[in-house]
Amino acid sequence: KILVTGALGQVGSELIGYLRNIYGESNVIASDIHKKGKESIIEGGPFELLDVLDAKKASEIVKKYNVDTIIHLAAILSAVGEKDPVLAWDINMNGLYNMLEISREKNLSLFTPSSIAAFGPNTPADNTPQDTIQRPTTMYGVTKVAGELLCDYYFKKYGVDTRGVRFPGLISYEALPGGGTTDYAVHIYYDAIEKGKYKCYIDKGTYMDMMYMPDALNAITTLLEADSSKLIHRNAFNITAMSFAPEDIANEIKNHIPDFEIEYEIDPVRQSIAQSWPNSLDDTAARDEWGWNPKYDLSSMTKDMLEKLRLKLKK
Ligand code: VAH
């Protein structure tokens, strides 16, 4: 039985259906702090209101459904986190701490995503190694590094089965991203269809790792099912599918919408966050230790995104 926190967010909105197809509706408990989300998630299987700061409620849910695995997605992302760093620390750290304590007490497996945000300006930016300097300059990044260390600590000290990946920017058509820095790579597709142009808040030449959501979902289940004796690392694995700058995705869109135009209206806060992150990750460890192997690149993602968004936006 899998409990997913933050189930109505950008990843959760697709992960719930994906997991229920694999493991069965009744074996995937979706939870979030509110109920404003996809009907199919709330009606299509068990749903619980859960604020991850409420350890008592979380424990009750684990007991009620006999949960054996938690996928902990509830978090404040990079850009929103810079607007309210205290909230970001509180939710990202105390929420995680609660999930770790429950996992320790009840012997659960715990998947917690980290991020390319766990790296900072003095991290080697190209082909960023699995093991390297991590001095992020955002509160979100601080919580991601602290979260990685805490998850590894619970594995080493208490034997809790903690696992995680450092997600790059995630691109999807189901749910909009929740206030990150890489969100431009989602909004550009919506505006390309709806307006034929996009005002980009990240500057040209700014490279970040990115991934199409189907590959991200597959990474979660593949890592959770991986043979633990083969895992040298745990929290958290570098994974990536592609690295691009705004002009690259704009040019790819132009292959489908020839008169699409990108303009630049730089947001200094998110531009400085983006510049502090790697240009490209080395994900050899994930490939070697649990068979990570993404399917989508920029051209196949763009083709699928535009097709699916045209249906969704009825354009
Ligand atoms: C953010 N999309 O921009 C998230 C993610 C890789 C970045 O953590 O904050």
Side-chain angles (χ1 to χ4, degrees):
K1 299 270 186 161
I2 303 171
L3 170 63
V4 179
T5 69
L8 300 177
Q10 185 198 9
V11 178
S13 295
E14 294 198 49
L15 180 65
I16 295 300
Y18 180 79
L19 293 176
R20 285 176 173 163
N21 283 340
I22 300 171
Y23 302 108
E25 277 83 10
S26 60
N27 292 321
V28 181
I29 298 91
S31 73
D32 211 307
I33 196 167
H34 59 75
K35 288 186 99 167
K36 294 186 292 295
K38 269 168 68 180
E39 277 304 292
S40 62
I41 295 178
I42 297 159
E43 308 300 332
F47 180 88
E48 294 283 346
L49 282 172
L50 174 62
D51 175 346
V52 291
L53 299 182
D54 182 349
K56 191 167 166 301
K57 177 75 185 288
S59 199
E60 283 163 10
I61 293 170
V62 165
K63 226 184 320 242
K64 175 179 173 183
Y65 294 95
N66 197 16
V67 167
D68 56 56
T69 302
I70 296 176
I71 299 177
H72 178 50
L73 303 179
I76 300 288
L77 295 183
S78 60
V80 171
E82 285 311 288
K83 292 200 183 94
D84 192 342
V86 172
L87 179 72
W89 175 268
D90 189 19
I91 291 182
N92 295 3
M93 295 317 297
N94 293 319
L96 174 59
Y97 176 73
N98 288 341
M99 297 305 130
L100 282 164
E101 275 296 283
I102 293 167
S103 300
R104 180 174 65 80
E105 282 154 24
K106 307 259 176 16
N107 195 22
L108 312 181
S109 290
L110 176 62
F111 176 95
T112 310
S114 179
S115 158
I116 57 174
F119 297 115
N122 60 1
T123 301
D126 298 308
N127 229 2
T128 301
Q130 174 66 42
D131 302 305
T132 186
I133 301 163
Q134 292 179 261
R135 296 190 66 79
T137 48
T138 62
M139 175 56 91
Y140 174 71
V142 167
T143 69
K144 287 294 141 186
V145 175
E148 289 186 9
L149 297 174
L150 205 52
C151 290
D152 272 352
Y153 180 84
Y154 268 70
F155 170 67
K156 288 193 177 65
K157 177 100 175 174
Y158 304 116
V160 178
D161 179 24
T162 56
R163 306 175 187 206
V165 296
R166 289 168 185 149
F167 274 134
L170 298 182
I171 293 159
S172 62
Y173 55 84
E174 276 291 351
L176 286 171
T181 300
T182 60
D183 299 6
Y184 88 86
V186 176
H187 295 297
I188 192 168
Y189 287 111
Y190 280 82
D191 282 11
I193 291 170
E194 293 184 315
K195 300 179 189 157
K197 65 179 170 44
Y198 177 64
K199 274 206 184 79
C200 191
Y201 60 76
I202 294 290
D203 208 352
K204 58 174 103 46
T206 310
Y207 284 85
M208 287 188 273
D209 287 283
M210 300 280 181
M211 185 184 296
Y212 199 28
M213 188 60 79
D215 281 329
L217 304 182
N218 184 262
I220 294 173
T221 47
T222 308
L223 176 54
L224 273 174
E225 291 181 1
D227 173 358
S228 48
S229 68
K230 296 229 174 47
L231 299 182
I232 300 164
H233 298 84
R234 277 182 171 265
N235 303 283
F237 285 92
N238 284 359
I239 57 168
T240 185
M242 58 191 99
S243 165
F244 57 70
E247 62 272 27
D248 302 319
I249 189 170
N251 290 332
E252 192 57 42
I253 289 171
K254 279 183 194 154
N255 290 339
H256 301 266
I257 306 173
D259 50 6
F260 169 72
E261 284 304 318
I262 184 168
E263 299 156 31
Y264 294 93
E265 202 172 278
I266 309 309
D267 165 7
V269 172
R270 286 181 289 185
Q271 180 60 28
S272 72
I273 293 174
Q275 274 167 312
S276 74
W277 291 350
N279 297 325
S280 61
L281 295 187
D282 172 359
D283 58 7
T284 313
R287 292 168 185 271
D288 292 349
E289 297 175 34
W290 49 276
W292 161 243
N293 180 23
K295 305 276 173 300
Y296 286 88
D297 61 12
L298 180 55
S299 99
S300 50
M301 171 176 72
T302 299
K303 184 173 177 303
D304 196 61
M305 264 302 270
L306 291 174
E307 268 167 27
K308 299 286 194 337
L309 277 181
R310 281 202 175 94
L311 290 174
K312 178 177 174 180
L313 302 171
K314 298 186 181 53
K315 292 270 175 175

